[in-house]
Amino acid sequence: MSKRKEHILVEPTLNDSCGIEYSVHRILPRMVSDLEKVFPGVEVKQTFVVPTFQHCKCDLIANGAGPDAEKDRLLETFVAWAKSICAELREQGHWADLTDPCSGLPVLSERGGEFYPDVIGGQMLLSYDVIDTGCCKLLSHPRWQTKVYPATMFSNAPLEILTPLLARPFPPTE
């Protein structure tokens, strides 16, 4: 494995049941200081970063009723999926959280003074291209180009506990 990719523990994998593509990464050294400000009191050096992507019917920069409804649908799917995984991990005694893709702020933990930028995270962790539109930055996914909805979760759970939860059908079946 090349030095550039040794932080990638699980390559991008599509969970077909919910349409969320995820990967798992060791935190990059240059991310530690910023993530300590996003998640105060969390030992982020031992945390895994789980960037996720959903295929969007429109470019993320699009506005209007249709694109806004699509973004809301993708947000709701991610939040429900990630919260269900975080709840299970927390029940097992592990720390887990997700950031709100709209604000970059933690959803379940104490908020720090910084936000997590999903687009920059995708660029740093997966070397995806970023397009600066002037008003915002768009991620260019290798398959879906700019028709992609990025969002991120984090956990310190061992990989052998985290990975099966990411891959399980969603919503979970009893």
Side-chain angles (χ1 to χ4, degrees):
M1 182 178 292
S2 73
K3 179 129 178 98
R4 184 180 78 77
K5 289 192 166 191
E6 52 186 38
H7 68 279
I8 301 175
L9 302 173
V10 176
E11 291 284 342
T13 304
L14 184 63
N15 181 324
D16 288 318
S17 67
C18 59
I20 293 177
E21 181 186 86
Y22 63 87
S23 54
V24 181
H25 305 258
R26 283 187 190 94
I27 192 168
L28 296 172
R30 66 180 182 246
M31 297 173 82
V32 171
S33 177
D34 289 337
L35 283 174
E36 286 174 339
K37 295 172 189 161
V38 175
F39 301 108
V42 174
E43 179 52 56
V44 297
K45 289 179 186 172
Q46 305 305 316
T47 297
F48 294 122
V49 183
V50 183
T52 72
F53 304 95
Q54 295 175 80
H55 186 216
C56 190
K57 294 176 184 172
C58 57
D59 279 323
L60 214 53
I61 199 167
N63 288 313
D68 290 348
E70 173 70 354
K71 293 176 208 175
D72 288 346
R73 180 186 70 78
L74 297 170
L75 172 64
E76 290 168 12
T77 299
F78 167 73
V79 169
W81 177 78
K83 275 186 169 181
S84 74
I85 293 168
C86 288
E88 189 155 336
L89 292 170
R90 285 171 169 246
E91 284 173 18
Q92 295 177 29
H94 306 289
W95 176 82
D97 203 346
L98 60 142
T99 50
D100 177 340
C102 299
S103 67
L105 298 172
V107 172
L108 304 172
S109 302
E110 175 188 348
R111 292 177 176 179
E114 296 287 329
F115 65 92
Y116 181 78
D118 297 304
V119 169
I120 301 304
Q123 181 184 39
M124 290 174 70
L125 296 167
L126 290 157
S127 300
Y128 289 173
D129 290 334
V130 171
I131 299 163
D132 190 342
T133 65
C135 65
C136 66
K137 294 181 190 291
L138 293 178
L139 196 74
S140 183
H141 186 277
R143 216 174 2 183
W144 304 321
Q145 287 74 48
T146 56
K147 293 182 177 181
V148 64
Y149 191 86
T152 312
M153 64 177 283
F154 305 82
S155 182
N156 65 3
L159 197 58
E160 61 272 11
I161 293 174
L162 176 61
T163 304
L165 294 177
L166 298 170
R168 75 179 176 193
F170 183 81
T173 54
E174 299 290 324

